């Protein structure tokens, strides 16, 4: 070996993380697990014991973040999109496998797409594929600036352009960054499958200590709050669906939204099923449920394609996506800043804070969960294949859902005589109101059952995946079987977070807690981007000099 070769060091392949050898926390990092449990438990106790104080403090933090970090969230999400594009077209990166060079994918493409979509955004589709285009049809930055008419025919494509922004490439790019960062270092370097491993090119072996613990704790808290946000929307819709199929009016309050009893009922059902599924692992319960909800999703989407507003939806899909792609650079980088005068500038800032910044925080909070899950199911695929599969394909699925489900709702209100039946329904109830209007009482009731079952599979898939991922992080990246008490604890804890925040302040309280919890992890994700690019660059140099850059994981975690 030449002197130049000697200067090229092998990558870090050993990151010992101290775990307990015996006792209740055997196999787990006590520092990470106990701290995360105390933080999440403290949030629940605080919200229940001091609801007014919790609401005031959370609201104050939320206002501070929206006032001072809105531009950070906007630019960070733009960065994730650019990095994904760069990695896919960069020859040195695109052909590398997430794993050893001879690894092959564990799951078929259908199961892979099903698990990605179900865990990533599936729950939101049933609420927001109808509700969000309706919202933006009434108001969006183009309407605020006088460029389009509220609820007018000239505003249809704008409604889709902004809906696609929030649910398209940006959302999935954030998941892909987390998934690549985790998969690359776990399966090519043999490092623990945990968040800290993705930053080893920047911080090295120091991640074995308190710095690494802090990163993993932040990831666990962000995951719980991000999934709580998703489950919060799902609970509202689940209760609306159960009321539609005749379970009982006691599920709803006077305002037509979920009552306290309804919330508790939904949480018990959803988290009970989720915990049982989590105990069965990824290869059994989660895979089976993911395939089931993909089949039901195809059935429901086919219904909208065939019996919904087909031509209206096709126009929203193809022309709307074209408008989205043309406007994407501007939408990604534009930060609306108010002037305090209460005019257009303030309205634009308020809209962006309530929509785009909220969504970007939601996707960042969801990223450690979805990213680690994507890494686990994507071993053996190339980086280019991963980016195309984890960003482009699910985004297109979102576009199709929004165009045909939301498009049917808008068309029925504009031209189909719905007479505000859909628009006036609550967010979670809009899809039930729409299918009920289309099909009549009996067939609408039967479709409501299908939607409730589909919603249940999405909720269970998201929740049980989150429980397994949190336990993987707590166990220093160990993907093996986890002790049942820890799975049960996190299943109960996740349910209590959702129930406590919903009962105290509704969905707004969950949104606020999630935006706060996502902020520190957004910094971790920026560092992930830098670390991943540095690692791939260094590995390309190693490869050209014949220096080994792939290492199988060790059997034992210290």
């Amino acid at each position: 070996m030449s002197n130049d070769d000697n200067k090229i060091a092998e990558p870090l392949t050993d990151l010992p993380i101290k775990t307990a050898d015996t006792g209740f926390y055997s196999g787990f990092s006590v520092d990470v697990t106990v701290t995360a449990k105390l933080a999440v438990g403290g949030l629940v106790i605080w919200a229940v014991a001091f609801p007014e104080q919790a609401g005031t403090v959370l609201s104050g933090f939320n206002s501070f973040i929206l006032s001072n970090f809105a531009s950070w969230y906007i630019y960070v999400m733009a960065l994730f999109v650019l990095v994904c594009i760069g990695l896919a077209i960069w020859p040195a990166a695109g052909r590398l496998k997430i794993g050893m060079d001879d690894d092959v994918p564990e799951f078929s493409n259908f199961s892979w797409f099903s698990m990605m979509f179900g865990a990533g955004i599936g729950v939101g589709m049933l609420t927001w594929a109808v509700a969000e285009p309706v919202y933006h049809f009434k108001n969006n930055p183009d309407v605020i600036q006088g460029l389009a008419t509220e609820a007018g025919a000239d505003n249809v494509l704008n409604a889709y352009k902004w809906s696609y922004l929030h649910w398209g490439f940006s959302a999935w790019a954030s998941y892909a960054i987390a998934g690549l960062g985790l998969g690359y270092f776990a399966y090519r370097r043999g490092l623990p499958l945990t968040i800290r491993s993705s930053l080893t090119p920047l911080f090295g072996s120091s991640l074995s200590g308190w710095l690494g613990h802090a990163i993993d704790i932040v990831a666990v808290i962000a995951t719980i709050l991000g999934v709580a946000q998703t489950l919060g929307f799902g609970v509202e819709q689940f209760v609306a669906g159960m009321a539609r199929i005749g379970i009982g009016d006691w599920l709803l309050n006077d305002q037509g939204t979920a009552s306290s009893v309804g919330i508790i009922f939904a949480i018990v059902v959803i988290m009970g099923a989720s915990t049982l599924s989590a105990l069965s692992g990824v290869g059994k319960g989660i895979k089976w449920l993911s395939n089931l909800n993909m089949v039901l999703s195809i059935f429901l989407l086919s219904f909208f394609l065939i019996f919904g507003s087909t031509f209206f939806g096709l126009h929203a899909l193809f022309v709307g996506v074209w408008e989205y792609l043309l406007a994407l650079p501007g939408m990604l980088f534009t930060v609306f800043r108010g002037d305090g005068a209460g005019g257009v500038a303030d309205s634009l800032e308020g809209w962006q804070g309530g929509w785009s910044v909220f969504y970007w925080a939601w996707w960042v909070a969801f990223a450690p969960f979805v990213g680690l899950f994507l890494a686990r199911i994507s071993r053996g695929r190339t980086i280019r294949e991963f980016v195309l599969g984890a960003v482009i394909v699910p985004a297109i699925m979102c576009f199709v859902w929004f165009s045909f489900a939301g498009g049917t709702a808008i068309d029925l209100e504009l031209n189909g005589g719905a007479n505000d039946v859909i628009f006036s329904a609550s967010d979670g109830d809009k899809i039930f109101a729409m299918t009920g209007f289309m099909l009549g009482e009996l067939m609408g009731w039967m479709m409501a059952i299908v939607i409730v079952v589909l919603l249940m599979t999405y909720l269970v898939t998201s929740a049980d995946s989150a429980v397994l991922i949190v336990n993987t992080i707590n166990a220093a990246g160990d993907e093996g079987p986890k002790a049942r008490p820890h799975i049960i604890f996190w299943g109960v804890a996740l349910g209590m977070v959702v129930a406590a925040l919903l009962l105290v302040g509704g969905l707004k309280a969950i949104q606020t807690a999630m935006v706060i919890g996502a902020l520190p992890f957004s910094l971790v994700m920026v560092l992930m981007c830098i670390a991943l690019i540095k690692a791939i660059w260094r590995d390309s140099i190693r490869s050209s000099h014949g220096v080994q850059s792939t290492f199988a994981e060790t059997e034992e975690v210290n």
Side-chain angles (χ1 to χ4, degrees), residues 197-228:
S197 296
S198 63
L199 303 186
T200 49
L202 302 181
F203 302 107
S205 58
S206 64
L207 290 167
S208 290
W210 66 266
L211 178 60
H213 297 335
I215 290 169
D216 284 347
I217 291 166
V218 164
V220 169
I221 295 172
T223 297
I224 293 297
L225 294 177
V227 177

Side-chain angles (χ1 to χ4, degrees), residues 63-340:
S63 299
F64 175 79
I65 289 174
L66 293 180
S67 299
N68 296 278
F69 290 94
S71 58
W72 165 261
Y73 275 119
I74 298 297
Y75 294 139
V76 159
M77 196 60 68
L79 171 67
F80 298 155
V81 174
L82 294 177
V83 170
C84 282
I85 294 172
L87 291 175
I89 65 177
W90 182 13
R95 61 174 176 264
L96 293 178
K97 280 192 174 182
I98 302 173
M100 308 300 287
D101 293 335
D102 57 352
D103 282 347
V104 295
E106 178 183 358
F107 300 102
S108 67
N109 285 338
F110 181 82
S111 291
W112 187 49
F113 291 138
S114 297
M115 287 191 282
M116 281 194 302
F117 191 74
I121 300 184
V123 174
M125 284 294 94
L126 293 180
T127 298
W128 295 109
V130 177
E132 184 158 347
V134 168
Y135 268 112
H136 298 331
F137 181 56
K138 297 178 180 179
N139 189 45
N140 61 59
D142 296 285
V143 172
I144 294 172
Q145 296 175 88
L147 303 176
T149 307
E150 176 184 345
D154 63 335
N155 196 38
V156 171
L157 292 180
N158 291 325
Y160 281 95
K161 176 179 71 177
W162 293 103
S163 297
Y164 294 160
L165 170 67
H166 297 147
W167 293 82
F169 301 142
S170 301
W172 290 96
S174 65
Y175 301 157
I177 291 298
L180 284 173
L182 289 160
Y184 191 89
F185 294 102
Y187 301 136
R188 289 185 66 85
R189 298 282 174 83
L191 294 173
L193 184 63
T194 187
I195 306 299
R196 71 178 79 187
S197 296
S198 63
L199 303 186
T200 49
L202 302 181
F203 302 107
S205 58
S206 64
L207 290 167
S208 290
W210 66 266
L211 178 60
H213 297 335
I215 290 169
D216 284 347
I217 291 166
V218 164
V220 169
I221 295 172
T223 297
I224 293 297
L225 294 177
V227 177
Q229 177 67 69
T230 298
L231 294 179
F233 286 131
V235 164
E236 293 279 349
Q237 189 165 44
F238 181 76
V239 169
M242 295 296 280
R244 283 272 179 178
I245 62 180
I247 298 300
D249 293 337
W250 53 273
L251 293 168
L252 303 174
N253 56 28
D254 295 337
Q255 290 74 43
T257 57
S259 66
S260 297
V261 176
I263 290 171
I264 295 172
F265 169 77
I267 290 294
V268 170
V269 172
I270 293 165
M271 295 313 303
S274 300
T275 303
L276 291 175
S277 178
L279 290 169
S280 70
V282 175
K284 296 179 182 178
I286 295 176
K287 178 181 176 181
W288 184 84
L289 283 171
S290 296
N291 289 338
L292 174 62
N293 64 35
M294 181 58 78
V295 170
L296 290 177
S297 296
I298 292 172
F299 168 78
L300 184 58
L301 183 58
S302 298
F303 167 77
F304 289 125
L305 284 169
I306 298 171
F307 301 104
S309 303
T310 305
F311 292 105
F312 193 97
L314 287 171
H315 184 260
L317 176 61
F318 290 104
V319 182
V321 168
W322 177 248
E323 292 285 334
Y324 160 70
L325 292 174
L326 291 177
L328 184 59
M331 292 191 294
L332 278 179
F333 290 98
T334 298
V335 178
F336 295 121
R337 302 185 187 279
D339 55 14

Side-chain angles (χ1 to χ4, degrees), residues 28 57 161 163 166 194 198 206 222 230 240 243 293 327 359 370 385 428 486 497 515 523 533 541:
F28 286 80
V57 172
K161 176 179 71 177
S163 297
H166 297 147
T194 187
S198 63
S206 64
T230 298
N293 64 35
Y359 271 122
V370 181
E385 182 183 8
H486 296 283
V497 168
V515 169
L523 175 59
I533 293 170
I541 296 175

Side-chain angles (χ1 to χ4, degrees), residues 62 128 229 233 354 358 506-516:
N62 189 55
W128 295 109
Q229 177 67 69
F233 286 131
F358 158 70
L507 285 172
K508 185 65 177 176
I510 298 182
Q511 292 172 12
T512 300
M514 182 271 300
V515 169
I516 296 169

Side-chain angles (χ1 to χ4, degrees), residues 27 192-194 376 468 471-482 557:
L193 184 63
T194 187
R376 290 185 66 177
L468 289 176
N471 272 308
T472 298
I473 297 173
N474 288 336
D478 179 14
E479 298 180 72
K482 303 297 186 297
V557 178

